[in-house]
Amino acid sequence: MLSDTDGGVDARRHPEEPDAVPEPPRHPEEPDAVPEPPVLEAADVTMHFTVRGGLGRTSTVKALEHASLRLRRGRIVALVGESGSGKTTLARLFALMYTPTSGEIRLRGEPVGPRRGRAAREYYSEVQMVFQDPFASLNSMHTVRHNLARALRIHGRAGRDDIEERMHALLERVSLTPTRDFIGKLPHELSGGQRQRVAIARALAVGPKVVLGDEPISMLDVSMRLDILNLLARLRDEEDLALLYITHDIAGARYLAEEIHVMYAGQMVEGGPTEEIIQNPQHPYTRLLLGASPDPARTLTPGGSSVFADVEDSGEPPNLTDPPPGCRFHPRCPFATDSCRRAFPARTELPTGQWVHCWLYPSGAST
Amino acid sequence: MVRRLLKDWKVRLGVAVFAAFCLLALLGPWLTSALLHQSPTRLDLNAVSSPPSSKHLLGTTASGQDVLAQLVTGTRESMLAGLVASVLGTFIAVVVGVTAGLAGGIVDSALTGLTNVFLTMPGFALIFVISGYTRGGGPVVIGIIIGLFGWAGGTRALRAQAMSLRNREFVLAMRMLGESRWRLAMSEVLPHLIGWISAMFLGGFVGGVLAESGLAFLGVSDPSTVSWGIMISDAQQGNALISGMWWWFAPPGLCIALLGASVALINFGVDEISNPRLRGANRALVKRAQEASRAKEVSHAR
Ligand SMILES: Nc1ncnc2c1ncn2[C@@H]1O[C@H](COP(=O)(O)OP(=O)(O)OP(=O)(O)O)[C@@H](O)[C@H]1O
Ligand code: SF4
Ligand SMILES: [Mg+2]
């Protein structure tokens, strides 16, 4: 590969963070935060998809470039970015549905490769996913009972005597009460919000440490959304879950998450504590997003109209089969310079706990 | 699911007719010998080529055999051939198609290659040659041959279905629970293919009956057995058509047509049921259509 993105790789590789070493020395990302190690971590992962076009031609979709993300106990990390920015791809890498082109996924610091059989089961007993469309993620031919029973059985979390009891307890935890009314239902007999609760209960049944939520509320009625958000917040607080919350809706992310990470066209551009990102965005793209948002300081509107519709007026996100070299935002960025076109900037840590990938910030200015 | 199926009048009719044939195949030969005191092979030389009468309810053949007795015995033989052919053919199609669709990669390529080989083989000609070689050999042998050479058609559809189901989110979600491949196939994917599979099964059944009749008609069959096909073939050789002996060839022909129709009726219903969303959509559509027509009536009335 001779593309310019390779130059970006080198420029971005932080001197203190060589990727080959399994346990890199950690940055004090948040100076005053708990230095607890992450449960699940994406370390510098890149994902290129090879797609076959007509006439046997193939092309490569560069869906994700050198993304790093850490999930910690009892914390929610929101991942925001417009459509096609690679959010689902990152979640699916965490779910081991793809093998990363480079970089690795680590569970409690241990690299995880592709797994099958018992090894996969072990991983999935800690990492679960809640999909976007609760109609698609529940088999239309199986009852709530089947979904929960399988989850409990596979992971040996219930025996013959207590399985009913456990299933009812799970439904209780996701507030599907009276549980007796729900346990025998088929998906099409439930509302979208109820279906999503079943999907959440199924994920919880295995007793996971990490739950990956890929836009879990975007397909639901507006009236249901806040309930589901509150349910997720409760799970974080009561069960100490680590949660990845993928969304288009910055207000929802602000309501729920401790940290917000912003992606653009497969690159992580900025991240940090929620309020810092909202009040004090540094990256030009984040500023564009929040500036376009009708009221960046607004409190929660669970309806959450996407701000990306407005942002798209200022230009199209790039084609990922042939992305712009360097910082992929440069064709739209008012501050773009030659270095932006040459290489992707390294991560710059700011004293506020934020980090940003942008040439406007002196490289290596980490605290 | 079965109960929902039986709510549909088409399905009920189809099942009733099909069940009647099954009963006839099971009990018929005993009934004809015990109640009507007729045998399909005994020659009644006092009543040759006689039209239906109280003694021979469906008349006799040119050599004096009782047509009803033949028809009833033929039901058993023909349906046995159909059953063997469809059980075997559907089983192979499901195993090959679903495995290929779910496994992907090299397994898929190999199985698809195999399917294509069987698909491009001139099936009926081969069946003809092989059953000529085995001298007919009765309904079971014919059924096995038909099943072995007739599975490829449905396999491609099943493979395509399984392939699209493999990446559906509910399958991914169950895989993320750690569900084994076997259970993913059996419990998550196969239920969605019930419609296809039962349609294939029933279609294969009728196909088997037809193929058996065709072979018998062409004379590739064990002449000591009696099946619908052999009856029609005998009738043709006995010039039944020219001499107006309709009672000889019409009953077996009608039976074949009836069996085919019953299967088609059942398939309609299965199609609807195996896809709950389709069913809901249908209902919504019907409702909307009804409302529209009512609205029209109202506006006409004004
Ligand atoms: N399996 C795949 N094969 C080929 N290309 C893929 C595949 N999965 C994703 N992509 C491509 O990768 C890019 C990122 O997709 P991804 O689904 O991760 O975006 P997203 O941020 O989740 O978007 P959305 O907000 O619409 O869900 C897209 O251009 C998409 O077309
Ligand atoms: S200034 Fe350069 S690096 Fe920063 S966002 Fe704009 S184009 Fe990207
Ligand atoms: Mg997505």
Side-chain angles (χ1 to χ4, degrees):
Chain A
M1 269 217 322
L2 296 167
S3 77
D4 304 59
T5 22
D6 269 348
V9 176
D10 291 330
R12 155 184 194 281
R13 196 167 277 156
H14 203 280
E16 291 176 34
E17 199 175 359
D19 350 278
V21 183
E23 278 282 15
R26 295 231 158 71
H27 294 293
E29 278 190 359
E30 293 138 34
D32 49 358
V34 266
E36 195 191 328
V39 194
L40 191 63
E41 176 180 9
D44 202 34
V45 291
T46 294
M47 188 71 222
H48 292 177
F49 293 106
T50 308
V51 285
R52 231 170 285 159
L55 303 170
R57 248 173 290 178
T58 61
S59 57
T60 307
V61 179
K62 295 170 179 149
L64 196 65
E65 295 288 340
H66 302 282
S68 297
L69 191 107
R70 293 170 179 171
L71 300 172
R72 293 187 165 82
R73 269 192 325 135
R75 290 174 71 82
I76 298 180
V77 174
L79 189 58
V80 300
E82 61 202 283
S83 200
S85 56
K87 307 182 296 296
T88 298
T89 303
L90 183 56
R92 292 190 163 200
L93 282 163
F94 276 130
L96 304 189
M97 287 186 210
Y98 312 132
T99 310
T101 309
S102 72
E104 61 191 20
I105 302 295
R106 298 182 192 138
L107 182 65
R108 280 193 223 86
E110 291 291 319
V112 250
R115 294 184 168 199
R116 286 179 59 173
R118 180 185 301 203
R121 203 148 57 231
E122 259 165 37
Y123 183 80
Y124 292 138
S125 73
E126 308 211 59
V127 181
Q128 277 295 310
M129 185 141 159
V130 175
F131 293 83
Q132 180 172 14
D133 179 357
F135 217 137
S137 69
L138 295 174
N139 192 332
S140 60
M141 307 195 90
H142 288 318
T143 57
V144 173
R145 173 180 271 112
H146 170 91
N147 283 289
L148 300 183
R150 285 311 300 157
L152 289 167
R153 286 244 169 77
I154 292 166
H155 294 273
R157 290 178 62 83
R160 192 162 296 201
D161 320 323
D162 60 344
I163 189 154
E164 279 297 312
E165 196 182 316
R166 296 216 169 221
M167 289 191 288
H168 285 288
L170 280 167
L171 290 177
E172 197 109 19
R173 261 160 78 190
V174 296
S175 311
L176 282 175
T177 49
T179 56
R180 236 176 309 123
D181 293 353
F182 288 100
I183 196 154
K185 287 254 169 34
L186 285 165
H188 69 91
E189 299 171 305
L190 301 171
S191 74
Q194 290 168 340
R195 273 181 242 141
Q196 197 60 295
R197 285 172 195 272
V198 173
I200 293 172
R202 175 176 62 186
L204 293 178
V206 314
K209 305 286 185 295
V210 181
V211 171
L212 310 164
D214 190 355
E215 306 194 42
I217 63 166
S218 68
M219 304 282 269
L220 305 184
D221 281 348
V222 170
S223 57
M224 303 277 182
R225 292 181 174 178
L226 188 56
D227 286 351
I228 298 285
L229 285 189
N230 287 333
L231 171 61
L232 293 176
R234 208 180 75 214
L235 294 174
R236 164 196 61 195
D237 298 336
E238 290 174 4
E239 328 242 337
D240 227 13
L241 280 180
L243 232 118
L244 177 66
Y245 177 69
I246 293 177
T247 182
H248 276 159
D249 171 33
I250 293 187
R254 182 182 191 184
Y255 178 74
L256 192 62
E258 280 78 29
E259 262 175 63
I260 294 182
H261 294 221
V262 183
M263 290 189 73
Y264 181 78
Q267 294 173 332
M268 300 286 246
V269 296
E270 180 168 10
T274 299
E275 284 310 311
E276 295 296 338
I277 299 287
I278 302 278
Q279 309 284 356
N280 190 21
Q282 300 298 320
H283 194 280
Y285 178 65
T286 321
R287 281 194 218 150
L288 178 70
L289 278 187
L290 290 162
S293 190
D295 175 13
R298 73 197 158 138
T299 45
L300 182 79
T301 54
S305 60
S306 162
V307 299
F308 296 100
D310 306 323
V311 169
E312 272 155 27
D313 292 343
S314 71
E316 293 268 298
N319 170 7
L320 294 184
T321 45
D322 183 23
C327 173
R328 288 181 181 176
F329 187 56
H330 78 243
R332 289 167 72 182
C333 180
F335 311 105
T337 61
D338 278 347
S339 20
C340 306
R341 284 179 265 275
R342 253 198 328 274
F344 188 67
R347 181 175 283 206
T348 306
E349 311 266 355
L350 303 172
T352 54
Q354 270 159 289
W355 48 260
V356 59
H357 288 282
C358 175
W359 285 114
L360 293 179
Y361 298 86
S363 179
S366 54
T367 44
Chain B
M1 172 151 168
V2 173
R3 201 177 304 154
R4 265 196 297 163
L5 252 175
L6 288 179
K7 271 188 194 154
D8 192 341
W9 69 267
K10 283 178 285 186
V11 176
R12 262 192 303 205
L13 185 63
V15 168
V17 173
F18 196 80
F21 273 113
C22 291
L23 267 181
L24 199 60
L26 277 178
L27 304 177
W30 170 77
L31 281 177
T32 43
S33 65
L35 297 182
L36 300 173
H37 307 292
Q38 294 292 353
S39 116
T41 45
R42 190 183 340 123
L43 309 178
D44 184 349
L45 296 175
N46 297 324
V48 172
S49 303
S50 68
S53 65
S54 59
K55 187 153 182 259
H56 300 287
L57 289 177
L58 280 178
T60 57
T61 69
S63 37
Q65 295 145 319
D66 185 67
V67 173
L68 180 61
Q70 285 209 324
L71 188 71
V72 168
T73 311
T75 305
R76 171 178 283 186
E77 306 288 304
S78 289
M79 289 193 56
L80 189 57
L83 184 70
V84 170
S86 64
V87 166
L88 188 66
T90 309
F91 180 77
I92 300 177
V94 169
V95 169
V96 173
V98 173
T99 308
L102 290 184
I106 196 166
V107 176
D108 181 25
S109 309
L111 291 177
T112 304
L114 184 75
T115 309
N116 286 339
V117 167
F118 272 85
L119 210 59
T120 45
M121 270 201 256
F124 196 77
L126 266 170
I127 293 171
F128 190 73
V129 169
I130 292 180
S131 40
Y133 184 74
T134 58
R135 305 263 151 140
V140 174
V141 174
I142 288 197
I144 289 176
I145 296 168
I146 294 169
L148 275 181
F149 287 97
W151 55 270
T155 305
R156 284 159 63 118
L158 285 178
R159 170 179 169 269
Q161 289 296 312
M163 244 166 112
S164 86
L165 282 166
R166 177 177 64 170
N167 290 320
R168 293 271 290 280
E169 282 185 0
F170 65 83
V171 177
L172 294 179
M174 292 313 275
R175 200 162 78 196
M176 275 202 75
L177 287 182
E179 195 76 287
S180 67
R181 284 158 166 253
W182 171 251
R183 286 209 63 131
L184 282 179
M186 298 307 287
S187 147
E188 304 300 325
V189 171
L190 269 187
H192 287 263
L193 299 175
I194 287 283
W196 288 90
I197 294 172
S198 50
M200 275 177 68
F201 179 83
L202 292 170
F205 197 103
V206 171
V209 169
L210 282 177
E212 195 274 339
S213 307
L215 288 175
F217 187 77
L218 294 169
V220 190
S221 192
D222 182 353
S224 67
T225 59
V226 180
S227 73
W228 293 341
I230 286 182
M231 284 177 75
I232 295 177
S233 152
D234 283 351
Q236 199 256 349
Q237 276 165 21
N239 291 327
L241 209 64
I242 297 165
S243 48
M245 290 165 67
W246 54 267
W247 60 86
W248 193 355
F249 60 82
L254 258 175
C255 281
I256 293 175
L258 261 177
L259 189 69
S262 74
V263 161
L265 283 177
I266 298 173
N267 269 348
F268 280 139
V270 170
D271 246 12
E272 244 169 66
I273 282 290
S274 64
N275 192 342
R277 269 201 254 187
L278 180 73
R279 192 178 171 75
N282 281 351
R283 235 189 267 130
L285 216 71
V286 168
K287 220 183 246 169
R288 229 181 301 150
Q290 279 172 345
E291 269 161 26
S293 65
R294 214 172 298 139
K296 219 174 183 182
E297 271 166 35
V298 170
S299 68
H300 274 296
R302 273 183 192 158

